[in-house]
Amino acid sequence: MGNVEEGPDSRVRMWSPVCRAVALLLGPYAEVVLHDPETDRVLEIWNPMTSRGPGDPSLLGELDELDPSAQDVYGPYEKLLADGRRLSSVSAVLRDARGEPSAVLCINLDRTPLEQAAAVLSAFGAPTVQGPEPLFEQDWSERIQHVIGTYVRETGRPIERMTRQDRLAVLGRLDEARVFAVRRATPVVAGALRVSRSTVYGLLTELRAPSAKDRQP
Amino acid sequence: MGNVEEGPDSRVRMWSPVCRAVALLLGPYAEVVLHDPETDRVLEIWNPMTSRGPGDPSLLGELDELDPSAQDVYGPYEKLLADGRRLSSVSAVLRDARGEPSAVLCINLDRTPLEQAAAVLSAFGAPTVQGPEPLFEQDWSERIQHVIGTYVRETGRPIERMTRQDRLAVLGRLDEARVFAVRRATPVVAGALRVSRSTVYGLLTELRAPSAKDRQP
DNA sequence: CCATATTTGGACAGTACATCCAGGCTAGAC
DNA sequence: GTCTAGCCTGGATGTACTGTCCAAATATGG
């Protein structure tokens, strides 16, 4: 973490915790830059996506001329890197205790991975991530339904035409999914399989103790 | 307390551009909170994901006692909301010009949409970007340890020095994480908290029935 | 030091879990 | 059709777990 011998700029000292926090949160997908609006140069940079470093020119442009209702925050707007990566960027004017602008913070988020994922998803007709899609449910009863539903879809056999082997297979999956570790799960599974609790318990013990059976060759 | 002129807290004035920038960039998926470490209350909040507001208690605890090598930035660590959303969180201690801690910034990023997308993609055999991240926790005892560990790290208070309020907070989180829906969880939690089973049940009932509490002396 | 708040271990009642069994049902063999 | 064998069922039963209560022990705070 060595800094230059001259000691860090007081502005860097003040704002770096925020910058490092954002850089940590967004991992390798975000670049955080602290600019000096006076000299129009980079003060410090975290997770650099290009080869810029402290002291390089900022190429910031005139933020002063932007909409004053934004109250020192600009964006998000889009940038395009030379290699084709798309960035979402925001900027904020940081002021000292006297209210004078002392630095400009820029956060550049690489949207490319997200957009690729979104493209794959929409190609398969998956819903765009807007409303919460309960793909994997926190609720264990939904998980039960999900496991059983998957099995029915795989075998094309509805619940009421299931054979003993089917029930064993489904219960095996449910057991692997640790469904029976939650309270009151067994009666729910029995109901979902249209079977009595006794049957479920019987099949489960048979499933969990295959040792005594194949012991005799 | 505040030695400020009228209007918003000077700290809010100073840090709000950063906060608003992050909140804008990350859209509805990130919550940005500014805490007052003195009073342990929320100073301001952007994109709130729960119903917290300015003036509410932070439940932050003392960050001072944490590992000094972290240099005022903590995390990312994981939080779990009641509805199952998983958050990645970072915290940063913000210091004034004299180097004194003046505020604590927390950014909470909702990872759920990303994880859902990742689940869909991996179901179609698409290459997963990152390594073996436990998508859903199978071992609930790990989850208990994780929730407690997170709290300890957040507050810098080891289990044996916890106050009643700490225990209440931890049990609240565990309850939100639906930990007590699994069999045998309560004794395990009691053991992990170095507390008797009775205490856990007592605190839990107190936690779950704040409605008809202080009506009668 | 006392007063109050909190935790504790243990006893207890109430559930839920798991097993067992006798009888009923179904399917296939004869 | 009848028989047999295997499976399922409902209920009875014993065990394990859950949650509550309370007096005593202990911590907390003035």
Side-chain angles (χ1 to χ4, degrees), chain A residues 65 79 92 95 112 167 171-172 201:
Chain A
E65 298 179 0
K79 279 180 187 170
R95 298 173 182 274
T112 314
R167 283 190 263 269
L171 286 181
Y201 284 121

Side-chain angles (χ1 to χ4, degrees), chain B residues 84-101:
Chain B
R85 280 183 293 179
R86 293 162 89 95
L87 308 181
S88 285
S89 300
V90 287
S91 302
V93 175
L94 310 181
R95 297 174 183 274
D96 58 23
R98 297 182 308 276
E100 292 301 311

Side-chain angles (χ1 to χ4, degrees), chain A residues 135-136 143, chain B residues 78 80 84 86 111-112 114-120 122 128 130-138 143:
Chain A
L135 182 65
F136 270 81
R143 186 185 292 206
Chain B
E78 178 176 294
L80 206 55
R86 293 162 89 95
R111 303 194 334 220
T112 313
L114 291 175
E115 286 180 346
Q116 288 175 346
V120 174
S122 68
T128 315
Q130 57 180 10
E133 172 84 10
L135 193 62
F136 259 84
E137 204 71 64
Q138 283 295 11
R143 184 186 290 205

Side-chain angles (χ1 to χ4, degrees), chain A residues 84-137:
Chain A
R85 281 184 290 180
R86 289 165 127 77
L87 307 181
S88 284
S89 300
V90 287
S91 301
V93 175
L94 311 180
R95 298 173 182 274
D96 58 22
R98 298 181 307 279
E100 293 301 312
S102 74
V104 173
L105 169 76
C106 279
I107 306 175
N108 300 313
L109 180 68
D110 184 2
R111 305 194 329 220
T112 314
L114 291 176
E115 286 178 346
Q116 286 174 347
V120 176
L121 290 174
S122 66
F124 280 107
T128 316
V129 189
Q130 289 284 16
E133 168 85 6
L135 182 65
F136 270 81
E137 193 54 51

